[in-house]
Amino acid sequence: MNSAELPLDLPLDPTDRRLVLVTQAGLPLVSRPYAAIGAELGIAEAEVRARLGALLDRGVIRRIGAVPNHYALGYTANGMSVWDVADERLDELGAAVGRLPFVTHCYRRPRHLPLWPYNLFAMVHDKNREAVLARLEEIAVVLGDACRGQDVLFSTRILKKTGMRIAS
C-alpha cells in the first residue's frame, strides 16, 4: 500500500503518534533500539515492538529497515538503469531483476513515448562506473531478447533522502 492510498484521517492513538514521531528519522544506533524508544516514551520494549508490528499490519508504516550510506561504504558510482522491456514479460523479468543481489531498487514505470520508451528502472551502486556498467551487462542477460533498449543515468550529486514526515 502506498501513502496515497491511506486515508488522511487515519486514527493514531497518542502513543502510536509519539512512536511514529520518534522513529520517523530512524532508530537509535544502540544495541537495543526498541528498549531505548520505550524508555523515551515511558513504555516497555515489548509494547514498542507490538505497536510497530500493528502499525506495519495496518499499513500506517511500510517497513522498518536499515538504510546504509552507500557513499560511506565506498559505493560512489550510482547508476539508474532504464530498460525498454516487452510489456507481456515485464512482471516476470522485473521480478528477476529485482532479485539480483546488486540491484537496490527496481520499479515499473510508464513509458512517455516517443521520447522515453523505458518501462523498467533498476538502481545499481558500485565502486566506479565501470563496475556499474558490468552489472548492467548482467541485467541485460536476464532480460535477453525481451529488452529492446536501455540506458543508464549516473548520479552527479548526493541528495538527502527522506520519507514522509508527520508534524508533531
Side-chain angles (χ1 to χ4, degrees), residues 81-87 90 107-121 143 146-153:
S81 63
V82 293
W83 307 85
D84 177 9
V85 177
D87 290 326
L90 185 58
Y107 305 96
R108 165 187 239 163
R109 291 289 184 254
R111 303 172 195 277
H112 293 282
L113 298 172
L115 299 175
W116 191 258
Y118 308 110
N119 59 348
L120 180 67
F121 290 37
L143 296 175
C147 180
R148 299 177 291 234
Q150 65 99 20
D151 205 344
V152 62
L153 310 167

Side-chain angles (χ1 to χ4, degrees), residues 36-101:
I37 293 165
E40 183 174 342
L41 297 178
I43 62 177
E45 177 180 7
E47 185 176 349
V48 170
R49 290 175 179 273
R51 285 178 174 273
L52 286 172
L55 291 169
L56 282 166
D57 290 344
R58 289 174 48 202
V60 174
I61 58 178
R62 290 187 300 196
R63 67 181 184 89
I64 299 170
V67 181
N69 180 337
H70 53 274
Y71 293 96
L73 296 172
Y75 290 84
T76 57
N78 310 292
M80 176 58 78
S81 63
V82 293
W83 307 85
D84 177 9
V85 177
D87 290 326
E88 65 275 6
R89 305 235 9 238
L90 185 58
D91 288 342
E92 162 206 353
L93 294 172
V97 169
R99 285 191 299 270
L100 294 170

Side-chain angles (χ1 to χ4, degrees), residues 20 23 29-30 47 108-110 129:
V20 170
T23 59
L29 298 175
V30 296
E47 185 176 349
R108 165 187 239 163
R109 291 289 184 254
R129 285 183 179 218

Side-chain angles (χ1 to χ4, degrees), residues 93-160:
L93 294 172
V97 169
R99 285 191 299 270
L100 294 170
F102 53 85
V103 172
T104 59
H105 303 75
C106 189
Y107 305 96
R108 165 187 239 163
R109 291 289 184 254
R111 303 172 195 277
H112 293 282
L113 298 172
L115 299 175
W116 191 258
Y118 308 110
N119 59 348
L120 180 67
F121 290 37
M123 189 70 188
V124 176
H125 304 282
D126 217 311
K127 298 194 181 218
N128 55 57
R129 285 183 179 218
E130 293 75 24
V132 169
L133 293 172
R135 294 298 194 181
L136 300 186
E137 290 178 20
E138 293 180 56
I139 294 174
V141 168
V142 170
L143 296 175
D145 61 5
C147 180
R148 299 177 291 234
Q150 65 99 20
D151 205 344
V152 62
L153 310 167
F154 282 99
S155 299
T156 58
R157 62 188 173 119
I158 301 170
L159 302 175
K160 182 178 179 184

